[in-house]
Amino acid sequence: FFQRTLAAVKSWFTLFGWSKGQNPISIPQSLRCDVCIVQLTVSQEKTFKRKLDKDKGFYEMLLHLYGQSIPGIAASQSLPRDPVERMFHLHWQHSELLSFLKSQGAYLSHVMPEFLLAPEDYRIWAEVNTGLRRGSIRSSGKLCGKRIFVLEDSAFETMSKRAWTDVLLQIYKVFVLPRVSSRIVPDPSSLESLQNIPKIKSEPLCSNIYSRYERAILIWLNKNYEKNRKIVWKDSQRGGIPPTRWIVNFDQDLLDGLVLAAQMAAYCPYLIPTHFIKMYTNPSTQEQFLHNSLILVEALNAVGLDIDIKV
């Protein structure tokens, strides 16, 4: 599950995270390289500077998604030459980042600033905070010194990957999802059929699972599915018109591909005779679910949305 989540996060931020085209990322390596590791090729300077492709840095991505700079953090920065001072600066920077994201509604109480550091900076952080020499940090899961939780290298890599993944997911939640409009324009032609579907409330406090933006998407899914199911599959030879359904989640209710196909048909009706008419409208076997998924992915590719979704 986490590997599939990681792949989806990498794909979305690679394709849509930056203002000027795609920027392939790896989690956590490229993100840590951007904000944590300085170039060690500068010889006689008092500071090291990040040397990155313009518009391709982590904070440039945040500037693109948020619309303005993160308070107190510059996209272009100089870092202290001394490794310990550099570590302290980066630890402070990550603390500021996490505090800012949490102030915007992100759930990141489980992510510590040190988990976002590069491995070499994390070793320095552990040495400074535990009083141990850099080469003797082998506590792995024990509390030492000032109750600092120190991880071995392999455990730290796992924790760092999870921390950066959660940071990106929460960035998506607080900066991208709010762009979804909760205004649903009534369509007179579909009002009668929609009256039989239980309503999903979009008020902020009516769900402890989905945000109001996610519930707005669920409302949109219900509306388009109910409006289009009789149009898309009116001539279906593989089960007839699918029944009415109440869409309340983003996993189980989307498994057969019909709901997503109805959304695409609302905007690309030319895909109905070439793709969606071939779908099973009452799938009951794994082969039929796979068949529908293949058609859905082919339809995405046909309109240029080749975002590496696996069937």
Side-chain angles (χ1 to χ4, degrees), residues 173-186:
K173 187 186 81 170
V174 299
F175 294 153
V176 180
L177 273 184
R179 299 175 188 172
V180 176
S181 173
S182 59
R183 183 174 63 91
I184 303 298
V185 181

Side-chain angles (χ1 to χ4, degrees), residues 35-61:
V35 299
C36 298
I37 301 177
V38 295
Q39 299 292 331
L40 300 179
T41 57
V42 185
S43 54
Q44 301 298 324
E45 295 183 7
K46 294 183 179 180
T47 60
F48 293 107
K49 295 182 182 291
R50 292 194 299 128
K51 296 184 176 179
L52 298 166
D53 186 14
K54 188 178 180 182
D55 299 321
K56 296 296 184 183
F58 176 77
Y59 285 100
E60 283 81 1
M61 179 196 74

Side-chain angles (χ1 to χ4, degrees), residues 56-109:
K56 296 296 184 183
F58 176 77
Y59 285 100
E60 283 81 1
M61 179 196 74
L62 282 183
L63 173 62
H64 168 60
L65 296 177
Y66 177 51
Q68 52 187 302
S69 299
I70 306 302
I73 301 177
S76 257
Q77 62 173 317
S78 297
L79 296 174
R81 178 186 179 90
D82 179 76
V84 176
E85 291 182 9
R86 185 183 72 241
M87 179 274 295
F88 277 126
H89 179 87
L90 291 168
H91 193 276
W92 165 83
Q93 180 175 291
H94 294 327
S95 298
E96 291 295 303
L97 170 66
L98 293 172
S99 295
F100 171 74
L101 292 175
K102 285 186 278 190
S103 74
Q104 299 297 307
Y107 296 144
L108 290 169
S109 60

Side-chain angles (χ1 to χ4, degrees), residues 7 25 34 41 50 64 92 95 117 123 172 179-180 189 196 231 243 277:
I25 67 169
D34 180 6
T41 57
R50 292 194 299 128
H64 168 60
W92 165 83
S95 298
L117 293 170
R123 295 188 195 102
Y172 182 89
R179 299 175 188 172
V180 176
S189 66
N196 298 323
I231 300 173
I277 196 67

Side-chain angles (χ1 to χ4, degrees), residues 42 115 136 143:
V42 185
F115 297 156
S136 63
L143 292 171

Side-chain angles (χ1 to χ4, degrees), residues 12-299:
W12 192 91
F13 279 91
T14 291
L15 292 172
F16 309 115
W18 279 262
S19 60
K20 296 184 179 179
Q22 300 180 15
N23 180 34
I25 67 169
S26 59
I27 303 174
Q29 289 80 9
S30 68
L31 300 175
R32 292 188 314 208
C33 285
D34 180 6
V35 299
C36 298
I37 301 177
V38 295
Q39 299 292 331
L40 300 179
T41 57
V42 185
S43 54
Q44 301 298 324
E45 295 183 7
K46 294 183 179 180
T47 60
F48 293 107
K49 295 182 182 291
R50 292 194 299 128
K51 296 184 176 179
L52 298 166
D53 186 14
K54 188 178 180 182
D55 299 321
K56 296 296 184 183
F58 176 77
Y59 285 100
E60 283 81 1
M61 179 196 74
L62 282 183
L63 173 62
H64 168 60
L65 296 177
Y66 177 51
Q68 52 187 302
S69 299
I70 306 302
I73 301 177
S76 257
Q77 62 173 317
S78 297
L79 296 174
R81 178 186 179 90
D82 179 76
V84 176
E85 291 182 9
R86 185 183 72 241
M87 179 274 295
F88 277 126
H89 179 87
L90 291 168
H91 193 276
W92 165 83
Q93 180 175 291
H94 294 327
S95 298
E96 291 295 303
L97 170 66
L98 293 172
S99 295
F100 171 74
L101 292 175
K102 285 186 278 190
S103 74
Q104 299 297 307
Y107 296 144
L108 290 169
S109 60
H110 62 294
V111 176
M112 302 293 104
E114 53 268 23
F115 297 156
L116 304 180
L117 293 170
E120 52 268 40
D121 289 320
Y122 177 76
R123 295 188 195 102
I124 297 173
W125 174 88
E127 179 179 344
V128 169
N129 283 279
T130 62
L132 299 176
R133 293 184 178 180
R134 183 182 304 181
S136 63
I137 300 173
R138 293 293 183 272
S139 54
S140 183
K142 297 180 181 179
L143 292 171
C144 33
K146 301 177 182 180
R147 297 185 63 82
I148 300 297
F149 195 71
V150 180
L151 302 171
E152 286 188 338
D153 291 348
S154 59
F156 171 74
E157 277 298 295
T158 300
M159 183 66 77
S160 184
K161 179 182 292 187
R162 177 66 186 272
W164 276 107
T165 301
D166 288 348
V167 165
L168 290 178
L169 283 168
Q170 292 299 307
I171 286 173
Y172 182 89
K173 187 186 81 170
V174 299
F175 294 153
V176 180
L177 273 184
R179 299 175 188 172
V180 176
S181 173
S182 59
R183 183 174 63 91
I184 303 298
V185 181
D187 183 347
S189 66
S190 61
L191 283 179
E192 183 178 351
S193 58
L194 289 175
Q195 286 175 353
N196 298 323
I197 301 177
K199 298 296 185 291
I200 296 175
K201 296 181 180 180
S202 58
E203 286 75 16
L205 300 179
C206 66
S207 172
N208 62 351
I209 299 176
Y210 293 134
S211 68
R212 69 177 184 270
Y213 311 113
E214 292 167 306
R215 294 197 298 280
I217 296 175
L218 288 174
I219 294 171
W220 173 71
L221 290 173
N222 277 283
K223 175 185 174 183
N224 273 336
Y225 175 76
E226 184 58 30
K227 177 182 175 181
N228 291 305
R229 64 186 180 88
K230 295 181 180 179
I231 300 173
V232 178
W233 293 287
K234 64 178 180 179
D235 299 320
S236 171
Q237 301 298 317
R238 298 189 174 183
I241 296 174
T244 298
R245 65 171 71 178
W246 189 27
I247 303 154
V248 296
N249 58 58
F250 296 103
D251 42 27
Q252 294 295 321
D253 291 342
L254 305 183
L255 284 180
D256 60 10
L258 297 175
V259 174
L260 294 177
Q263 312 311 308
M264 291 191 67
Y267 302 96
C268 307
Y270 54 86
L271 293 173
I272 296 174
T274 59
H275 292 77
F276 302 142
I277 196 67
K278 305 173 186 176
M279 299 177 78
Y280 289 98
T281 56
N282 287 284
S284 58
T285 66
Q286 291 298 323
E287 291 77 12
Q288 291 174 347
F289 277 82
L290 178 64
H291 173 87
N292 284 1
S293 298
L294 283 165
I295 290 177
L296 188 63
V297 171
E298 289 176 359

